[in-house]
Amino acid sequence: MTTILLIVTAVLTALIAGLFYAYSCSVVLGLGKLSDTEYLKAMQSINREILNPVFFVSFMGTAVLLPISTFYIGHKILFLPCFCWLR
């Protein structure tokens, strides 16, 4: 169960990180060359299109699973002998 939780959390986090990275490396550069009204229209269009079930599951799944994984794994790590100084 722990392995599955960590894999799902890592995959969702990687998906969101990849989305943000690709957006900053490509879309932001292209949007910077638009006029103000074109920029506004483009951003509104992007914001409408990104609201879909795949993005929602990835984004909210990461927001929910990261704290759960951290608590679950961190709680187990504290009981290892080498981490006795953290107790």
Side-chain angles (χ1 to χ4, degrees), residues 1-10 69 72-73 76:
M1 186 66 184
T2 304
T3 304
I4 293 171
L5 176 67
L6 291 176
I7 289 172
V8 171
T9 304
S69 297
Y72 186 70
I73 298 303
K76 286 181 141 187

mmCIF file with all atom_site columns, all heavy atoms in Angstrom, residues 1-10 69 72-73 76:
data_model
loop_
_atom_site.group_PDB
_atom_site.id
_atom_site.type_symbol
_atom_site.label_atom_id
_atom_site.label_alt_id
_atom_site.label_comp_id
_atom_site.label_asym_id
_atom_site.label_entity_id
_atom_site.label_seq_id
_atom_site.pdbx_PDB_ins_code
_atom_site.Cartn_x
_atom_site.Cartn_y
_atom_site.Cartn_z
_atom_site.occupancy
_atom_site.B_iso_or_equiv
_atom_site.pdbx_formal_charge
_atom_site.auth_seq_id
_atom_site.auth_comp_id
_atom_site.auth_asym_id
_atom_site.auth_atom_id
_atom_site.pdbx_PDB_model_num
ATOM 1   N N   . MET A 1 1  ? 0.820  -1.203 0.000  1.00 0.00 ? 1  MET A N   1
ATOM 2   C CA  . MET A 1 1  ? 0.000  0.000  0.000  1.00 0.00 ? 1  MET A CA  1
ATOM 3   C C   . MET A 1 1  ? 0.861  1.262  0.000  1.00 0.00 ? 1  MET A C   1
ATOM 4   O O   . MET A 1 1  ? 0.539  2.226  -0.672 1.00 0.00 ? 1  MET A O   1
ATOM 5   C CB  . MET A 1 1  ? -0.943 -0.034 1.215  1.00 0.00 ? 1  MET A CB  1
ATOM 6   C CG  . MET A 1 1  ? -1.933 1.066  1.244  1.00 0.00 ? 1  MET A CG  1
ATOM 7   S SD  . MET A 1 1  ? -3.080 0.886  -0.129 1.00 0.00 ? 1  MET A SD  1
ATOM 8   C CE  . MET A 1 1  ? -4.025 2.334  0.055  1.00 0.00 ? 1  MET A CE  1
ATOM 9   N N   . THR A 1 2  ? 1.944  1.219  0.769  1.00 0.00 ? 2  THR A N   1
ATOM 10  C CA  . THR A 1 2  ? 2.841  2.366  0.833  1.00 0.00 ? 2  THR A CA  1
ATOM 11  C C   . THR A 1 2  ? 3.456  2.658  -0.522 1.00 0.00 ? 2  THR A C   1
ATOM 12  O O   . THR A 1 2  ? 3.527  3.813  -0.947 1.00 0.00 ? 2  THR A O   1
ATOM 13  C CB  . THR A 1 2  ? 3.967  2.109  1.861  1.00 0.00 ? 2  THR A CB  1
ATOM 14  O OG1 . THR A 1 2  ? 3.372  1.816  3.114  1.00 0.00 ? 2  THR A OG1 1
ATOM 15  C CG2 . THR A 1 2  ? 4.872  3.306  1.996  1.00 0.00 ? 2  THR A CG2 1
ATOM 16  N N   . THR A 1 3  ? 3.882  1.618  -1.210 1.00 0.00 ? 3  THR A N   1
ATOM 17  C CA  . THR A 1 3  ? 4.509  1.794  -2.513 1.00 0.00 ? 3  THR A CA  1
ATOM 18  C C   . THR A 1 3  ? 3.528  2.387  -3.508 1.00 0.00 ? 3  THR A C   1
ATOM 19  O O   . THR A 1 3  ? 3.879  3.300  -4.275 1.00 0.00 ? 3  THR A O   1
ATOM 20  C CB  . THR A 1 3  ? 5.043  0.443  -3.022 1.00 0.00 ? 3  THR A CB  1
ATOM 21  O OG1 . THR A 1 3  ? 5.926  -0.107 -2.048 1.00 0.00 ? 3  THR A OG1 1
ATOM 22  C CG2 . THR A 1 3  ? 5.775  0.617  -4.333 1.00 0.00 ? 3  THR A CG2 1
ATOM 23  N N   . ILE A 1 4  ? 2.310  1.913  -3.507 1.00 0.00 ? 4  ILE A N   1
ATOM 24  C CA  . ILE A 1 4  ? 1.299  2.432  -4.431 1.00 0.00 ? 4  ILE A CA  1
ATOM 25  C C   . ILE A 1 4  ? 1.009  3.895  -4.128 1.00 0.00 ? 4  ILE A C   1
ATOM 26  O O   . ILE A 1 4  ? 0.923  4.727  -5.047 1.00 0.00 ? 4  ILE A O   1
ATOM 27  C CB  . ILE A 1 4  ? 0.017  1.579  -4.355 1.00 0.00 ? 4  ILE A CB  1
ATOM 28  C CG1 . ILE A 1 4  ? 0.286  0.180  -4.899 1.00 0.00 ? 4  ILE A CG1 1
ATOM 29  C CG2 . ILE A 1 4  ? -1.121 2.238  -5.127 1.00 0.00 ? 4  ILE A CG2 1
ATOM 30  C CD1 . ILE A 1 4  ? -0.825 -0.800 -4.687 1.00 0.00 ? 4  ILE A CD1 1
ATOM 31  N N   . LEU A 1 5  ? 0.881  4.225  -2.852 1.00 0.00 ? 5  LEU A N   1
ATOM 32  C CA  . LEU A 1 5  ? 0.639  5.610  -2.455 1.00 0.00 ? 5  LEU A CA  1
ATOM 33  C C   . LEU A 1 5  ? 1.765  6.522  -2.935 1.00 0.00 ? 5  LEU A C   1
ATOM 34  O O   . LEU A 1 5  ? 1.523  7.594  -3.500 1.00 0.00 ? 5  LEU A O   1
ATOM 35  C CB  . LEU A 1 5  ? 0.490  5.710  -0.936 1.00 0.00 ? 5  LEU A CB  1
ATOM 36  C CG  . LEU A 1 5  ? 0.338  7.110  -0.355 1.00 0.00 ? 5  LEU A CG  1
ATOM 37  C CD1 . LEU A 1 5  ? -0.989 7.714  -0.781 1.00 0.00 ? 5  LEU A CD1 1
ATOM 38  C CD2 . LEU A 1 5  ? 0.459  7.058  1.144  1.00 0.00 ? 5  LEU A CD2 1
ATOM 39  N N   . LEU A 1 6  ? 2.999  6.091  -2.753 1.00 0.00 ? 6  LEU A N   1
ATOM 40  C CA  . LEU A 1 6  ? 4.138  6.900  -3.173 1.00 0.00 ? 6  LEU A CA  1
ATOM 41  C C   . LEU A 1 6  ? 4.236  7.016  -4.693 1.00 0.00 ? 6  LEU A C   1
ATOM 42  O O   . LEU A 1 6  ? 4.569  8.085  -5.217 1.00 0.00 ? 6  LEU A O   1
ATOM 43  C CB  . LEU A 1 6  ? 5.431  6.319  -2.602 1.00 0.00 ? 6  LEU A CB  1
ATOM 44  C CG  . LEU A 1 6  ? 5.598  6.451  -1.101 1.00 0.00 ? 6  LEU A CG  1
ATOM 45  C CD1 . LEU A 1 6  ? 6.862  5.749  -0.647 1.00 0.00 ? 6  LEU A CD1 1
ATOM 46  C CD2 . LEU A 1 6  ? 5.618  7.907  -0.696 1.00 0.00 ? 6  LEU A CD2 1
ATOM 47  N N   . ILE A 1 7  ? 3.947  5.956  -5.405 1.00 0.00 ? 7  ILE A N   1
ATOM 48  C CA  . ILE A 1 7  ? 4.003  6.003  -6.870 1.00 0.00 ? 7  ILE A CA  1
ATOM 49  C C   . ILE A 1 7  ? 2.937  6.936  -7.420 1.00 0.00 ? 7  ILE A C   1
ATOM 50  O O   . ILE A 1 7  ? 3.215  7.779  -8.287 1.00 0.00 ? 7  ILE A O   1
ATOM 51  C CB  . ILE A 1 7  ? 3.874  4.584  -7.472 1.00 0.00 ? 7  ILE A CB  1
ATOM 52  C CG1 . ILE A 1 7  ? 5.145  3.785  -7.196 1.00 0.00 ? 7  ILE A CG1 1
ATOM 53  C CG2 . ILE A 1 7  ? 3.589  4.640  -8.965 1.00 0.00 ? 7  ILE A CG2 1
ATOM 54  C CD1 . ILE A 1 7  ? 5.057  2.330  -7.577 1.00 0.00 ? 7  ILE A CD1 1
ATOM 55  N N   . VAL A 1 8  ? 1.721  6.826  -6.925 1.00 0.00 ? 8  VAL A N   1
ATOM 56  C CA  . VAL A 1 8  ? 0.641  7.699  -7.399 1.00 0.00 ? 8  VAL A CA  1
ATOM 57  C C   . VAL A 1 8  ? 0.953  9.159  -7.076 1.00 0.00 ? 8  VAL A C   1
ATOM 58  O O   . VAL A 1 8  ? 0.775  10.053 -7.922 1.00 0.00 ? 8  VAL A O   1
ATOM 59  C CB  . VAL A 1 8  ? -0.718 7.264  -6.793 1.00 0.00 ? 8  VAL A CB  1
ATOM 60  C CG1 . VAL A 1 8  ? -1.804 8.282  -7.081 1.00 0.00 ? 8  VAL A CG1 1
ATOM 61  C CG2 . VAL A 1 8  ? -1.124 5.904  -7.326 1.00 0.00 ? 8  VAL A CG2 1
ATOM 62  N N   . THR A 1 9  ? 1.440  9.404  -5.876 1.00 0.00 ? 9  THR A N   1
ATOM 63  C CA  . THR A 1 9  ? 1.794  10.766 -5.486 1.00 0.00 ? 9  THR A CA  1
ATOM 64  C C   . THR A 1 9  ? 2.910  11.309 -6.369 1.00 0.00 ? 9  THR A C   1
ATOM 65  O O   . THR A 1 9  ? 2.846  12.453 -6.831 1.00 0.00 ? 9  THR A O   1
ATOM 66  C CB  . THR A 1 9  ? 2.223  10.814 -4.007 1.00 0.00 ? 9  THR A CB  1
ATOM 67  O OG1 . THR A 1 9  ? 1.172  10.281 -3.207 1.00 0.00 ? 9  THR A OG1 1
ATOM 68  C CG2 . THR A 1 9  ? 2.535  12.231 -3.573 1.00 0.00 ? 9  THR A CG2 1
ATOM 69  N N   . ALA A 1 10 ? 3.927  10.507 -6.624 1.00 0.00 ? 10 ALA A N   1
ATOM 70  C CA  . ALA A 1 10 ? 5.050  10.944 -7.467 1.00 0.00 ? 10 ALA A CA  1
ATOM 71  C C   . ALA A 1 10 ? 4.611  11.210 -8.901 1.00 0.00 ? 10 ALA A C   1
ATOM 72  O O   . ALA A 1 10 ? 5.025  12.202 -9.516 1.00 0.00 ? 10 ALA A O   1
ATOM 73  C CB  . ALA A 1 10 ? 6.162  9.900  -7.434 1.00 0.00 ? 10 ALA A CB  1
ATOM 74  N N   . SER A 1 69 ? 1.028  11.448 2.102  1.00 0.00 ? 69 SER A N   1
ATOM 75  C CA  . SER A 1 69 ? 2.264  10.678 1.940  1.00 0.00 ? 69 SER A CA  1
ATOM 76  C C   . SER A 1 69 ? 3.335  11.138 2.916  1.00 0.00 ? 69 SER A C   1
ATOM 77  O O   . SER A 1 69 ? 4.044  10.321 3.507  1.00 0.00 ? 69 SER A O   1
ATOM 78  C CB  . SER A 1 69 ? 2.794  10.809 0.509  1.00 0.00 ? 69 SER A CB  1
ATOM 79  O OG  . SER A 1 69 ? 1.888  10.274 -0.404 1.00 0.00 ? 69 SER A OG  1
ATOM 80  N N   . TYR A 1 72 ? 2.377  9.893  6.393  1.00 0.00 ? 72 TYR A N   1
ATOM 81  C CA  . TYR A 1 72 ? 2.469  8.443  6.499  1.00 0.00 ? 72 TYR A CA  1
ATOM 82  C C   . TYR A 1 72 ? 3.920  7.981  6.512  1.00 0.00 ? 72 TYR A C   1
ATOM 83  O O   . TYR A 1 72 ? 4.324  7.200  7.364  1.00 0.00 ? 72 TYR A O   1
ATOM 84  C CB  . TYR A 1 72 ? 1.706  7.789  5.351  1.00 0.00 ? 72 TYR A CB  1
ATOM 85  C CG  . TYR A 1 72 ? 1.618  6.296  5.461  1.00 0.00 ? 72 TYR A CG  1
ATOM 86  C CD1 . TYR A 1 72 ? 0.838  5.710  6.450  1.00 0.00 ? 72 TYR A CD1 1
ATOM 87  C CD2 . TYR A 1 72 ? 2.315  5.470  4.597  1.00 0.00 ? 72 TYR A CD2 1
ATOM 88  C CE1 . TYR A 1 72 ? 0.759  4.344  6.565  1.00 0.00 ? 72 TYR A CE1 1
ATOM 89  C CE2 . TYR A 1 72 ? 2.246  4.105  4.697  1.00 0.00 ? 72 TYR A CE2 1
ATOM 90  C CZ  . TYR A 1 72 ? 1.466  3.537  5.685  1.00 0.00 ? 72 TYR A CZ  1
ATOM 91  O OH  . TYR A 1 72 ? 1.396  2.180  5.799  1.00 0.00 ? 72 TYR A OH  1
ATOM 92  N N   . ILE A 1 73 ? 4.719  8.473  5.588  1.00 0.00 ? 73 ILE A N   1
ATOM 93  C CA  . ILE A 1 73 ? 6.120  8.063  5.512  1.00 0.00 ? 73 ILE A CA  1
ATOM 94  C C   . ILE A 1 73 ? 6.930  8.706  6.639  1.00 0.00 ? 73 ILE A C   1
ATOM 95  O O   . ILE A 1 73 ? 7.793  8.066  7.243  1.00 0.00 ? 73 ILE A O   1
ATOM 96  C CB  . ILE A 1 73 ? 6.716  8.419  4.133  1.00 0.00 ? 73 ILE A CB  1
ATOM 97  C CG1 . ILE A 1 73 ? 5.967  7.669  3.033  1.00 0.00 ? 73 ILE A CG1 1
ATOM 98  C CG2 . ILE A 1 73 ? 8.198  8.114  4.082  1.00 0.00 ? 73 ILE A CG2 1
ATOM 99  C CD1 . ILE A 1 73 ? 5.954  6.173  3.187  1.00 0.00 ? 73 ILE A CD1 1
ATOM 100 N N   . LYS A 1 76 ? 6.509  6.835  9.843  1.00 0.00 ? 76 LYS A N   1
ATOM 101 C CA  . LYS A 1 76 ? 7.264  5.583  9.868  1.00 0.00 ? 76 LYS A CA  1
ATOM 102 C C   . LYS A 1 76 ? 8.755  5.832  10.062 1.00 0.00 ? 76 LYS A C   1
ATOM 103 O O   . LYS A 1 76 ? 9.427  5.085  10.752 1.00 0.00 ? 76 LYS A O   1
ATOM 104 C CB  . LYS A 1 76 ? 7.055  4.809  8.563  1.00 0.00 ? 76 LYS A CB  1
ATOM 105 C CG  . LYS A 1 76 ? 5.719  4.162  8.440  1.00 0.00 ? 76 LYS A CG  1
ATOM 106 C CD  . LYS A 1 76 ? 5.653  3.418  7.132  1.00 0.00 ? 76 LYS A CD  1
ATOM 107 C CE  . LYS A 1 76 ? 4.916  2.130  7.338  1.00 0.00 ? 76 LYS A CE  1
ATOM 108 N NZ  . LYS A 1 76 ? 4.936  1.258  6.186  1.00 0.00 ? 76 LYS A NZ  1
#
